[in-house]
Amino acid sequence: MVVLGIETSCDETSVAVVVSPGPEVLSNEVYSQIAAHQPFGGVVPELAARRHVDVLPGLIGKAIHDADVGWEDLDALAVTAGPGLASSLLVGVSAAKALALRLKVPLYPVNHLEGHVCSVFLGANAPRAEEACPMLVLLVTGGHTCLIAVDCIGGYRMLGQTLDDAAGEALDKGASMLGLPYPGGPSIEKAAQGGDPSLFAFPRGRVQGSSLRHLAGMEPELCFSYSGVKTSLLYRLRDLGATPAPGQLADLAAGYQEAVFDALLLRVEAAMDRAAYASFACVGGVARNQCLRGKLLALSESRDVPLLLAQPEYCTDNAAMIAATHALRSPTLRQDTGFACDVRPVWPLGAG
Ligand code: KG4
Ligand code: ZN
């Protein structure tokens, strides 16, 4: 089966061609809009949607060309239908509908979060889903931070999630306070090099049971909160007075990212205490971070649970993971929505 995937949920425009079994990636074109949004310190939704309109047609042609397939070889289209920015999602879904109509191939909506989960099954040495499950997944992006128990492809249980900011968002906002460019995750990672994380202590964000009223069935020990760590950085900077000196900047960045990551690790450990998993994985843009990857590796060794990390190019948003998600599904989970495909800006994982 040859699947063309389209991803436009935020500020990356991406098109990929993936074949199954495998899934094997034949092409994965990613146009990053970072430069367009950088002057604004974050993603501007209308600007993102307009850029998607400009670059998507060219990327579709390039993905087909680079995969060395013909239009007639495509068996299915998979498109991110949500969650994400409504206006951006609309561009990808509209393009997918037009292609499905023209090529007379089925169209399958894919949940962006499920795409991130499936990103660990891409690449040369990736395991098969049957071997990896039951799998504990830490999903850390700019919009989401959650812990998911993956029983099989399509079988997801949300164990915990953030009550406020996502980990990536906490890094993006922290970087902005430190005067570092967007996106904050890579900026903080770079600034933290050579810094001493123990010189500035930041809180690890505890969650009170009473604050979980809207998250029925979730345990406080498996949920996240990043509002405290941001406030703590704000007060630190205020107390330091002037702009931090270069040496201080490295220590602040190292201490801040350490607190963000330790909060993640604490919840992963708590989830491991509650159930046995064949493997655990970390997916999403923040999983590119080398400091976080090192901490996860140490945990994998101490707990003797194999760690699965997506290749860096499949951590940040890409269409290969969207096409692969469809390719990995069993036939009963494949629902061709055709022209009725609609965007779902809010779409909890496992909600059908
Ligand atoms: O998964 P992603 O590309 O988009 C969303 O679905 O949100 O994740 C984007 C997030 C941003 O918050 C960005 O700062 C963070 O991933 N990120 C990183 C790194 N690269 C990207 N965070 C920490 N270290 C990195 N190297
Ligand atoms: Zn994402």
Side-chain angles (χ1 to χ4, degrees), residues 104-124:
K104 297 189 178 55
V105 291
L107 170 58
Y108 300 95
V110 172
N111 182 304
H112 182 79
L113 304 181
E114 187 176 10
H116 275 300
V117 168
C118 291
S119 66
V120 290
F121 302 121
L122 289 171

Side-chain angles (χ1 to χ4, degrees), residues 188-199:
I188 290 197
E189 180 171 29
K190 200 164 156 221
Q193 275 165 18
D196 181 347
S198 65
L199 288 184

Side-chain angles (χ1 to χ4, degrees), residues 12-317:
E12 257 100 22
T13 323
S14 181
V15 185
V17 177
V18 165
V19 283
S20 75
E24 191 191 337
V25 182
L26 299 187
S27 65
N28 184 37
E29 315 298 333
V30 182
Y31 173 85
S32 171
Q33 302 185 5
I34 285 176
H37 299 279
Q38 223 157 28
F40 305 97
V43 178
V44 183
E46 272 315 302
L47 191 59
R50 282 161 199 249
R51 275 291 156 99
H52 289 314
V53 172
D54 288 343
V55 302
L56 186 56
L59 278 195
I60 294 173
K62 192 164 186 322
I64 294 282
H65 177 267
D66 291 358
D68 203 14
V69 296
W71 296 104
E72 66 287 355
D73 296 323
L74 298 180
D75 298 303
L77 298 174
V79 64
T80 304
L85 301 171
S87 49
S88 287
L89 291 165
L90 205 52
V91 179
V93 168
S94 304
K97 281 184 183 179
L99 269 180
L101 199 65
R102 174 68 181 81
L103 301 173
K104 297 189 178 55
V105 291
L107 170 58
Y108 300 95
V110 172
N111 182 304
H112 182 79
L113 304 181
E114 187 176 10
H116 275 300
V117 168
C118 291
S119 66
V120 290
F121 302 121
L122 289 171
N125 299 315
R128 288 160 52 85
E130 304 83 77
E131 300 158 2
C133 294
M135 172 171 77
L136 175 67
V137 175
L138 172 67
L139 186 154
V140 270
T141 71
H144 294 85
T145 291
C146 46
L147 270 175
I148 307 156
V150 179
D151 298 321
C152 57
I153 300 292
Y156 309 113
R157 286 176 290 125
M158 194 62 79
L159 302 176
Q161 64 183 58
T162 181
L163 301 191
D164 36 62
D165 283 356
E169 199 177 354
L171 293 170
D172 292 337
K173 290 176 179 169
S176 160
M177 283 188 248
L178 290 166
L180 299 169
Y182 174 84
S187 298
I188 290 197
E189 180 171 29
K190 200 164 156 221
Q193 275 165 18
D196 181 347
S198 65
L199 288 184
F200 293 100
F202 292 100
R204 267 58 175 165
R206 285 174 190 279
V207 172
Q208 305 290 339
S210 57
S211 53
L212 287 183
R213 277 185 301 272
H214 63 296
L215 296 176
M218 288 186 193
E219 289 183 58
E221 290 79 13
L222 302 181
C223 288
F224 310 82
S225 171
Y226 284 113
S227 52
V229 73
K230 277 186 319 185
T231 311
S232 178
L233 177 61
L234 188 73
Y235 288 166
R236 277 292 169 146
L237 290 171
R238 189 194 58 188
D239 295 346
L240 287 171
T243 318
Q248 255 180 344
L249 180 66
D251 297 335
L252 279 164
Y256 187 78
Q257 77 165 7
E258 180 106 336
V260 171
F261 299 155
D262 281 353
L264 298 173
L265 269 284
L266 277 173
R267 275 62 174 195
V268 172
E269 287 213 72
M272 285 179 172
D273 289 340
R274 285 159 174 74
Y277 294 94
S279 65
F280 82 108
C282 184
V283 299
V286 181
R288 284 184 85 119
N289 188 286
Q290 290 304 325
C291 170
L292 175 60
R293 285 170 100 93
K295 283 176 178 282
L296 292 165
L297 206 58
L299 180 64
S300 162
E301 278 161 16
S302 71
R303 289 277 184 154
D304 200 20
V305 183
L307 170 66
L308 305 179
L309 289 170
Q311 291 180 11
E313 70 265 37
Y314 301 133
C315 288
T316 34
D317 289 350

